[in-house]
Amino acid sequence: MSFNTFGKIFRFTTWGESHGPAIGCVVDGCPPNIKLSEKDIMIDMNRRRPGKSKFTSQRKESDKVEILSGVFQGKTTGTPISMIIYNEDAKSRDYETIKNKFRPGHADYTYFLKYGIRDFRGGGRQSARETAGRVAAGAIAKLVLKKLIGKNFKIIGAVTQLGLLSCDRNKWNENEIRKNPFFCPDKKAVKLWEKYLLAIRKAGSSCGAIIELRASCVPVGLGAPIYSKLDSDLASALMSINAVKGVNVGAGMNAAFLTGEENSDEMKSISGKTKFKSNNAGGILGGISSGQEIIVSFSVKPTSSILNSRETIDKKGKNTKISVKGRHDPCVGIRAVPIGEAMMSCVILDHYLLNRAQCS
Amino acid sequence: MSFNTFGKIFRFTTWGESHGPAIGCVVDGCPPNIKLSEKDIMIDMNRRRPGKSKFTSQRKESDKVEILSGVFQGKTTGTPISMIIYNEDAKSRDYETIKNKFRPGHADYTYFLKYGIRDFRGGGRQSARETAGRVAAGAIAKLVLKKLIGKNFKIIGAVTQLGLLSCDRNKWNENEIRKNPFFCPDKKAVKLWEKYLLAIRKAGSSCGAIIELRASCVPVGLGAPIYSKLDSDLASALMSINAVKGVNVGAGMNAAFLTGEENSDEMKSISGKTKFKSNNAGGILGGISSGQEIIVSFSVKPTSSILNSRETIDKKGKNTKISVKGRHDPCVGIRAVPIGEAMMSCVILDHYLLNRAQCS
Amino acid sequence: MSFNTFGKIFRFTTWGESHGPAIGCVVDGCPPNIKLSEKDIMIDMNRRRPGKSKFTSQRKESDKVEILSGVFQGKTTGTPISMIIYNEDAKSRDYETIKNKFRPGHADYTYFLKYGIRDFRGGGRQSARETAGRVAAGAIAKLVLKKLIGKNFKIIGAVTQLGLLSCDRNKWNENEIRKNPFFCPDKKAVKLWEKYLLAIRKAGSSCGAIIELRASCVPVGLGAPIYSKLDSDLASALMSINAVKGVNVGAGMNAAFLTGEENSDEMKSISGKTKFKSNNAGGILGGISSGQEIIVSFSVKPTSSILNSRETIDKKGKNTKISVKGRHDPCVGIRAVPIGEAMMSCVILDHYLLNRAQCS
Amino acid sequence: MSFNTFGKIFRFTTWGESHGPAIGCVVDGCPPNIKLSEKDIMIDMNRRRPGKSKFTSQRKESDKVEILSGVFQGKTTGTPISMIIYNEDAKSRDYETIKNKFRPGHADYTYFLKYGIRDFRGGGRQSARETAGRVAAGAIAKLVLKKLIGKNFKIIGAVTQLGLLSCDRNKWNENEIRKNPFFCPDKKAVKLWEKYLLAIRKAGSSCGAIIELRASCVPVGLGAPIYSKLDSDLASALMSINAVKGVNVGAGMNAAFLTGEENSDEMKSISGKTKFKSNNAGGILGGISSGQEIIVSFSVKPTSSILNSRETIDKKGKNTKISVKGRHDPCVGIRAVPIGEAMMSCVILDHYLLNRAQCS
């Protein structure tokens, strides 16, 4: 069972609402004796936090993580690591005008009908603010993986599609990803993306995105058939991120269009090492990592909270219109990059530990 | 933890290898007092089983399900329902020639590297034969859902893309789906698909497919945020099916291309009932069912076992070539339709029960 | 999997060390729309907290619970309820002298050998301070149970054996339990217990105890055979409390001495209601509640941290002696009463919800 | 969640009713490459099966285990091991006369009220026949543990109390346990026990028992605080066995009577090895194995199905009397010995694997 807990052995539980006093995350099952400080975690937190550019929400949050347990004299102890992040810039009054209305395309409606009650301030628990806890957990997972697998282990994500604009995936440049505010991997696309997103913001609208994640140096053998396959766990992990509507592994939906010959990633042994001629599988065969780079991608729908007026209903079932002012990302997909990386890190670490249990 | 078990409250465990004496499934957590017979289960079993047309594998299996427990005087008792299906047409000698080689694009390689041992006969545990157990579990889930929700509850799947050939999704016709050997929903497409797939089979090749699933009359409120969202559980369920590489919910990957206005499914109250103007969300908002039709789709890659020769390596790491004779589906995607329906049924029932626990 | 999480549907996760900045508990799966305030929780917190009498540890902790999420406008929302309790009176220097020694009978040794690292201050995670989080979770469970089952539902615990001194279980008086510092149910025993425990404290020693828990008005039908029986979950819950070494349900270990005739709790229908002539079963048959009062008891071993010197070894494996000064309970069993009640409340609520899922 | 599944990594699911066609067990998460045959499993099956002496039920079952999956060329493959045992000697007509009555002290009543339906033949799912599956799983666990830990690893159980008759635990003799039909460890007690149990059987009555289990050579460090402690998992495992009412670890309930000095198992380093002066802890400190022998005991209540007439009610709530003819054990505690060993083996293996995941 797992309402707000993710993972099997390396597990984390998030809690908190957008406009409550704080949000947080409890990481359980972390191996002991791993060096860990709040600084290590802030690297990824800073990549996710809002208010850094005109292309994301203007909510100002330092997202400072405080570790409350599980670390002693700078090292993990194997006991739960509790982390807290105080909400600093909640402006609940922004939500007063829409507290009885349901934003179409948003979880307002379903939360209310499921629970009969909801914290409407800033979307409450439905807010993407929840993902800060995931990024904190993911930062720990990355550190552990680097310790266990080696320094070459790496997970990196990028936005490869911003609304209607694509970029050249073959120009994938990690330095470029770090530099521009879109996590765009292709330098040439950046300028156009800037203009495009500013126009969307100005128009009171929003757009979707596609994010690609690549993990290198993942050992062969991770993934637990049949119902905890590495890819099914990744699909679950990514689909659980706010606004995600599709997940691809390797060729993904396009696998339908390939022939058997095209699709089979032929293998060759070169100096005793297994090499693959292609990677349509995205590094996963039968739910188990093959040693190839693991490549997954996911789509994020456009932000539901837009300035332009939409038809909807209110709590009493009356027809009405809604226009959302507040502070919102014109493309929530951008900040989904570090979140996707975090989820992928947690899944891979979890399977690393699980494989150690059954097969070491 | 869930190596070979799926679900939270309505749970099933499958076991068995393609060429072992039998395969099976144990369903646990099924509500008591539901009428159930082997006949009920055979309806879906017959839709999945091979050997029925020239478009699927020629392996002849009756797939007769025998219930060994959990049913008393024609009704479920709330105790585990064990089902066994004997393997009748296993021809293990077909695999002698490739037992030391790894089929590229297949799980041969990863199973062997993970476990250090594998049953190579017919793919062993990696075989899609495992999915027979899922269909049996899904048949039970459907029955229970019809009892709990009402007779209008329905899940139906179809192949909407066969390799390079699409069909008109707007011509969705359930009777047509039942008639043709492709589960194709659009009558006009069938003839062309026949010719296309025969040509692929003749060429010793294979092709992929896209399957769409639709569930109607699902109550609002199912799904457990944050990490057991209805869509993340569906994604995990579908991605766990052999050869699946992508999962879409509603607009899916295409959500990236929409604007906020287009994407928001506007709501209207008509005679006290909530109506949505569109269904980009696929009936799921914030991981919770909205009462709209739930629409998901997934891609299936082309069968890896093809007659045409491919380069690969063997168990000792030597370079070699492989050509797979045996009996294989030219498009495994076709038989994925009842499997997808089964997984969707299990996920929806599971969340129905789970919601009853927390929110009734 | 459940390192630091307890429960299936109503689940809680505790975190924190004895001498860290804070400890806490995240409750997940709580039904929505239940009135809940910090005040409600403090009733049980105050019954557990140390420093109230000369018969418990002199550590002064207000154990003030702060709710950080999951409650909106005074009601639960169905989202995780995060609670934090700051440590106020940690005196870590008390532990400097024994930081490299293992207290015999304590988890110092096993934690160190398992994890290779441990927070030695106040026992770190091994400290009974962790149980404060359980009591907070249990207080919520009790409230929910009263809402769901009715006001007559009640769980009450008492110390029935203090070291070598017993009391008359048939004199069970709930008002008396509330009055005396031992949770002793029999007024006559209290004075003697006072003298006895003061003598033990003075002698630098400690003693064990037996606690009995009684739950009334538990509906028939709770408990999930075979491996989540109500009694096996209670056994697990109680055995997880620090220093507990034995758990009895109903006649418990004494069931061995009964004949079949004595043991069978004969049934009679009186005015349409099922009545039992005795309760050797402790209200549980086949792992399912029978509608009778549920009666369990458990033993708590004497506090390991005693003033009197004991032989032991240190981290380097050298022989040494240890005498523990610090602040310790002469009988940890006393404060185990509200902890036992909390665990029992959580188990019963969990099964109430689980039964609603499968059998409602 | 775990209705009929036990364990975390090494998991097993049992299914089947006493008088159905078969019962069975699916073991999941078993490490690969372990030599395993049906013969290995039959050793323990034969120790549990009924009909071997006049001191147990006269039902004749060969309890022949057939392995249907998960083993290839004599070795485990890491995939689920499905085992089936056909019921050979079910005499359902024996139960016709009591099918509408509830045996007092039995789960007849609670199963019927929980599920609204029950298979009354031989107790259906409530029957101790279910435990055959556990013994099969335990036999596999033992084999794996011997492979992983070494040949010195050993779990052995014995009956130390038969109704009112005890034996001398200090005379614990493993050869003796294997020889007599009571698993009695003390040769001197056997004769008296024979007479005693025959008298009880003749009188149409039954008696309880206490079973003690000892595991030696368990490595230090197994057990996952806080809520999967080794002792809380053992308590849950043993309490889940039919008719068990109490579980002790080490000193158990008697820990209440000890002083802190007596209870602390003092430690000494002798030639670099940690030695304990006593073992009140039963080899478990803070929920983690200490390297000492693990000692637990549990009580089994007298068989509820007795010849002597008892008052009860029937399905319609009418008062009536019941006298159970059928074939029943005069002391079910005897056959609980191999069952207890099996559960203990599974718990220890599970924690061995779990510890390997987090701490290796």
Side-chain angles (χ1 to χ4, degrees), chain A residues 2 32 44 52 65 80 111 119 139 141 156 170 184 193 201 220 222 237 258 312 322 324 334 339 355:
Chain A
S2 53
D44 280 327
K52 287 186 308 177
V65 170
Y111 263 72
D119 179 350
I156 187 133
N170 298 318
C184 176
W193 286 20
R201 152 157 279 178
V220 64
L222 308 194
L258 303 175
T312 193
I322 193 164
V324 187
I334 297 172
I339 305 166
N355 187 57

Short mmCIF file of all heavy atoms in Angstrom, two decimals, chain A residues 2 32 44 52 65 80 111 119 139 141 156 170 184 193 201 220 222 237 258 312 322 324 334 339 355:
data_model
loop_
_atom_site.label_atom_id
_atom_site.label_comp_id
_atom_site.label_asym_id
_atom_site.label_seq_id
_atom_site.Cartn_x
_atom_site.Cartn_y
_atom_site.Cartn_z
N SER A 2 0.46 2.26 -0.66
CA SER A 2 1.38 3.40 -0.75
C SER A 2 0.65 4.66 -1.17
O SER A 2 0.77 5.09 -2.29
CB SER A 2 2.46 3.07 -1.78
OG SER A 2 1.86 2.66 -2.99
N PRO A 32 23.48 2.75 5.43
CA PRO A 32 24.23 3.54 6.40
C PRO A 32 25.62 3.93 5.88
O PRO A 32 26.07 3.41 4.86
CB PRO A 32 24.35 2.58 7.59
CG PRO A 32 24.32 1.21 6.99
CD PRO A 32 23.48 1.32 5.73
N ASP A 44 20.23 19.97 -6.07
CA ASP A 44 19.04 19.67 -6.86
C ASP A 44 17.84 20.53 -6.47
O ASP A 44 17.02 20.86 -7.33
CB ASP A 44 18.69 18.17 -6.75
CG ASP A 44 19.57 17.33 -7.67
OD1 ASP A 44 19.94 17.83 -8.75
OD2 ASP A 44 19.89 16.18 -7.32
N LYS A 52 13.18 31.64 -10.02
CA LYS A 52 14.55 31.92 -10.46
C LYS A 52 14.61 32.67 -11.79
O LYS A 52 15.57 33.37 -12.07
CB LYS A 52 15.33 30.61 -10.61
CG LYS A 52 15.69 29.98 -9.28
CD LYS A 52 16.58 28.77 -9.51
CE LYS A 52 15.95 27.83 -10.51
NZ LYS A 52 16.79 26.68 -10.84
N VAL A 65 16.39 22.96 2.81
CA VAL A 65 16.09 21.67 3.44
C VAL A 65 16.81 21.57 4.79
O VAL A 65 18.01 21.82 4.87
CB VAL A 65 16.55 20.51 2.54
CG1 VAL A 65 16.46 19.18 3.28
CG2 VAL A 65 15.71 20.46 1.28
N PRO A 80 15.57 6.49 9.62
CA PRO A 80 14.89 7.42 8.70
C PRO A 80 15.46 8.85 8.71
O PRO A 80 15.75 9.39 9.77
CB PRO A 80 13.44 7.42 9.19
CG PRO A 80 13.37 6.57 10.38
CD PRO A 80 14.65 5.87 10.58
N TYR A 111 -10.45 15.89 -6.12
CA TYR A 111 -10.13 15.86 -4.69
C TYR A 111 -11.39 16.14 -3.87
O TYR A 111 -11.65 15.47 -2.86
CB TYR A 111 -9.07 16.91 -4.34
CG TYR A 111 -7.67 16.38 -4.26
CD1 TYR A 111 -6.98 16.02 -5.42
CD2 TYR A 111 -7.01 16.22 -3.05
CE1 TYR A 111 -5.68 15.54 -5.37
CE2 TYR A 111 -5.71 15.74 -2.98
CZ TYR A 111 -5.05 15.40 -4.14
OH TYR A 111 -3.76 14.93 -4.08
N ASP A 119 -8.12 21.38 0.93
CA ASP A 119 -7.42 22.62 1.24
C ASP A 119 -7.22 23.32 -0.09
O ASP A 119 -6.39 22.93 -0.89
CB ASP A 119 -6.08 22.28 1.90
CG ASP A 119 -5.26 23.52 2.23
OD1 ASP A 119 -5.63 24.62 1.78
OD2 ASP A 119 -4.26 23.37 2.93
N ALA A 139 17.97 13.46 -4.41
CA ALA A 139 19.35 13.91 -4.20
C ALA A 139 20.11 12.91 -3.34
O ALA A 139 21.29 12.61 -3.60
CB ALA A 139 19.36 15.30 -3.57
N ALA A 141 19.31 9.70 -3.11
CA ALA A 141 19.45 8.49 -3.93
C ALA A 141 20.65 8.61 -4.87
O ALA A 141 21.42 7.67 -5.03
CB ALA A 141 18.17 8.24 -4.72
N ILE A 156 20.70 12.39 -16.10
CA ILE A 156 20.51 13.78 -16.53
C ILE A 156 19.25 13.89 -17.39
O ILE A 156 18.97 13.02 -18.21
CB ILE A 156 21.76 14.32 -17.24
CG1 ILE A 156 21.59 15.81 -17.52
CG2 ILE A 156 22.08 13.59 -18.52
CD1 ILE A 156 22.79 16.63 -17.12
N ASN A 170 19.80 14.99 -30.99
CA ASN A 170 21.17 14.52 -31.28
C ASN A 170 22.23 15.55 -30.89
O ASN A 170 23.41 15.25 -30.85
CB ASN A 170 21.30 14.15 -32.75
CG ASN A 170 20.37 13.00 -33.10
OD1 ASN A 170 20.25 12.05 -32.33
ND2 ASN A 170 19.68 13.12 -34.24
N CYS A 184 17.22 22.99 -21.80
CA CYS A 184 17.21 22.60 -23.21
C CYS A 184 18.59 22.07 -23.59
O CYS A 184 19.60 22.71 -23.29
CB CYS A 184 16.84 23.80 -24.07
SG CYS A 184 16.93 23.43 -25.84
N TRP A 193 12.91 29.39 -28.06
CA TRP A 193 12.08 28.97 -26.93
C TRP A 193 11.77 30.16 -26.02
O TRP A 193 10.66 30.27 -25.50
CB TRP A 193 12.78 27.86 -26.14
CG TRP A 193 12.78 26.52 -26.82
CD1 TRP A 193 12.60 26.27 -28.14
CD2 TRP A 193 12.97 25.25 -26.19
NE1 TRP A 193 12.67 24.92 -28.39
CE2 TRP A 193 12.90 24.26 -27.20
CE3 TRP A 193 13.20 24.82 -24.88
CZ2 TRP A 193 13.05 22.90 -26.94
CZ3 TRP A 193 13.36 23.47 -24.61
CH2 TRP A 193 13.28 22.51 -25.64
N ARG A 201 3.13 33.32 -22.11
CA ARG A 201 2.87 33.93 -20.79
C ARG A 201 2.07 35.22 -20.98
O ARG A 201 1.09 35.47 -20.26
CB ARG A 201 4.20 34.20 -20.08
CG ARG A 201 4.19 35.37 -19.11
CD ARG A 201 5.27 35.26 -18.06
NE ARG A 201 4.84 34.35 -17.00
CZ ARG A 201 5.57 34.00 -15.94
NH1 ARG A 201 6.80 34.46 -15.83
NH2 ARG A 201 5.09 33.19 -15.02
N VAL A 220 23.87 -3.99 -15.39
CA VAL A 220 22.92 -4.95 -15.95
C VAL A 220 22.29 -5.75 -14.80
O VAL A 220 22.94 -5.99 -13.78
CB VAL A 220 23.64 -5.88 -16.96
CG1 VAL A 220 24.68 -6.73 -16.28
CG2 VAL A 220 22.65 -6.74 -17.72
N LEU A 222 19.20 -5.02 -13.13
CA LEU A 222 18.25 -4.37 -12.20
C LEU A 222 16.82 -4.44 -12.75
O LEU A 222 16.58 -4.16 -13.93
CB LEU A 222 18.64 -2.91 -11.97
CG LEU A 222 20.09 -2.63 -11.56
CD1 LEU A 222 20.23 -1.21 -11.04
CD2 LEU A 222 20.56 -3.62 -10.49
N ALA A 237 6.47 5.83 -11.50
CA ALA A 237 7.14 6.95 -10.84
C ALA A 237 6.92 8.24 -11.61
O ALA A 237 6.63 9.30 -11.04
CB ALA A 237 8.64 6.66 -10.73
N LEU A 258 7.86 0.33 -35.86
CA LEU A 258 9.09 -0.34 -36.29
C LEU A 258 8.81 -1.77 -36.76
O LEU A 258 7.82 -2.38 -36.37
CB LEU A 258 10.09 -0.39 -35.13
CG LEU A 258 10.48 0.95 -34.50
CD1 LEU A 258 11.37 0.72 -33.29
CD2 LEU A 258 11.19 1.85 -35.51
N THR A 312 -16.66 26.54 -16.16
CA THR A 312 -16.55 25.49 -15.17
C THR A 312 -17.78 25.48 -14.26
O THR A 312 -18.75 26.19 -14.53
CB THR A 312 -15.27 25.62 -14.34
OG1 THR A 312 -15.07 24.42 -13.60
CG2 THR A 312 -15.32 26.81 -13.39
N ILE A 322 -14.07 30.80 -14.83
CA ILE A 322 -12.90 30.95 -13.97
C ILE A 322 -11.72 31.50 -14.75
O ILE A 322 -11.51 31.18 -15.92
CB ILE A 322 -12.53 29.59 -13.30
CG1 ILE A 322 -11.53 29.82 -12.16
CG2 ILE A 322 -11.99 28.60 -14.33
CD1 ILE A 322 -11.40 28.65 -11.22
N VAL A 324 -7.64 32.34 -13.59
CA VAL A 324 -6.76 32.19 -12.44
C VAL A 324 -5.64 33.21 -12.48
O VAL A 324 -4.84 33.23 -13.41
CB VAL A 324 -6.18 30.76 -12.39
CG1 VAL A 324 -5.39 30.57 -11.10
CG2 VAL A 324 -7.29 29.74 -12.49
N ILE A 334 8.99 22.52 -17.44
CA ILE A 334 10.41 22.88 -17.25
C ILE A 334 10.93 22.38 -15.91
O ILE A 334 11.94 21.67 -15.83
CB ILE A 334 10.60 24.41 -17.39
CG1 ILE A 334 10.22 24.85 -18.79
CG2 ILE A 334 12.04 24.79 -17.04
CD1 ILE A 334 10.18 26.35 -18.99
N ILE A 339 12.65 16.92 -11.16
CA ILE A 339 11.72 16.00 -10.49
C ILE A 339 11.80 14.62 -11.15
O ILE A 339 11.88 13.59 -10.47
CB ILE A 339 10.26 16.53 -10.55
CG1 ILE A 339 10.19 17.95 -9.97
CG2 ILE A 339 9.31 15.60 -9.83
CD1 ILE A 339 8.91 18.69 -10.28
N ASN A 355 17.93 -5.95 -5.98
CA ASN A 355 18.68 -6.97 -6.70
C ASN A 355 19.77 -7.57 -5.80
O ASN A 355 20.04 -8.77 -5.84
CB ASN A 355 19.33 -6.35 -7.94
CG ASN A 355 19.97 -7.39 -8.82
OD1 ASN A 355 19.32 -8.32 -9.26
ND2 ASN A 355 21.28 -7.26 -9.05
#
